[in-house]
Amino acid sequence: MSMDILEGIGLLQAPLMWWVFRRFFKRDMTGEMIASAIVGVVWEVATEPLWDYHFKLTYYRDAPFAELTGWMVMFPLVILLSEKLYRLALRTDRVRPHDKRIFFFDIISGILVCLPLEAVGARLGVWQYRQDVLHWDWGMIPLLNLPWEVPFGYALLLLIAPTFIRYWEKDFEHAGN
């Protein structure tokens, strides 16, 4: 598959997810997606030297807009799954405010959602890890063919990103009111 087609799919994924959730689930994902974009920009700018992207439309060096829309899709899906697993496992109808157990569910959900997407992106050549900078040496995850450092990095990111998104999502949805 060509990089141009992959980039087009990447750019369309966030608006498509927003529409699907609005249309079929009656859920407004606007706030979660905006907060996710903020986390995505911070992450991509801070880690830009660690990978080489191969898309054309970028906002900072080679950090592509299509990767940003990936964060806008990935984090809301992580949060949805995390909160469903939390409610199921703890047999409750809602996430209790300030319950630290949500971190566990965020990490588990993040690994379940993010690792397959990371594996697909890496396999399709959307980016390459800069091993000359990273010096990752923990080995590779069988079947996914990803470095073990990848889920570790996601776990660290997932300790803060979903909390930030949950905190700010409603403010972004009602910013114009």
Side-chain angles (χ1 to χ4, degrees):
M1 187 176 299
S2 83
M3 283 297 133
D4 291 339
I5 293 171
L6 286 173
E7 187 167 21
I9 292 168
L11 290 169
L12 292 174
Q13 65 185 334
L16 180 62
M17 182 178 124
W18 180 88
W19 178 80
V20 165
F21 273 83
R22 184 116 175 160
R23 172 84 165 93
F24 297 107
F25 302 110
K26 309 297 185 233
R27 182 177 172 129
D28 184 4
M29 302 296 286
T30 305
E32 286 172 279
M33 294 176 90
I34 292 170
S36 296
I38 291 169
V39 174
V41 166
V42 169
W43 185 259
E44 293 300 334
V45 169
T47 65
E48 188 275 335
L50 304 178
W51 10 86
D52 288 328
Y53 287 107
H54 304 292
F55 284 156
K56 293 176 184 169
L57 300 174
T58 63
Y59 60 91
Y60 177 75
R61 297 188 182 171
D62 76 337
F65 285 105
E67 187 67 21
L68 180 58
T69 59
W71 292 112
M72 293 170 71
V73 168
M74 216 164 44
F75 282 136
L77 292 175
V78 167
I79 290 168
L80 285 172
L81 179 59
S82 174
E83 291 175 359
K84 286 197 181 300
L85 291 175
Y86 173 100
R87 290 190 310 267
L88 182 68
L90 301 177
R91 295 189 170 107
T92 184
D93 60 344
R94 64 182 180 82
V95 176
R96 291 182 215 132
H98 308 288
D99 185 350
K100 308 312 180 267
R101 294 177 291 183
I102 194 67
F103 291 129
F104 171 77
F105 295 100
D106 287 346
I107 291 171
I108 296 302
S109 299
I111 299 299
L112 291 172
V113 170
C114 301
L115 277 189
L117 295 173
E118 181 86 12
V120 168
R123 176 157 305 214
L124 291 174
V126 173
W127 63 83
Q128 293 169 304
Y129 302 112
R130 293 279 316 271
Q131 188 60 18
D132 60 316
V133 176
L134 294 164
H135 301 289
W136 285 345
D137 60 3
W138 293 355
M140 302 296 276
I141 301 170
L143 301 173
L144 292 177
N145 199 31
L146 290 173
W148 279 106
E149 289 87 347
V150 170
F152 179 72
Y154 271 116
L156 293 175
L157 180 59
L158 291 160
L159 287 172
I160 56 169
T163 301
F164 174 87
I165 294 163
R166 285 185 189 102
Y167 183 83
W168 287 103
E169 69 179 300
K170 295 298 180 209
D171 289 327
F172 288 121
E173 287 172 9
H174 305 294
N177 297 336

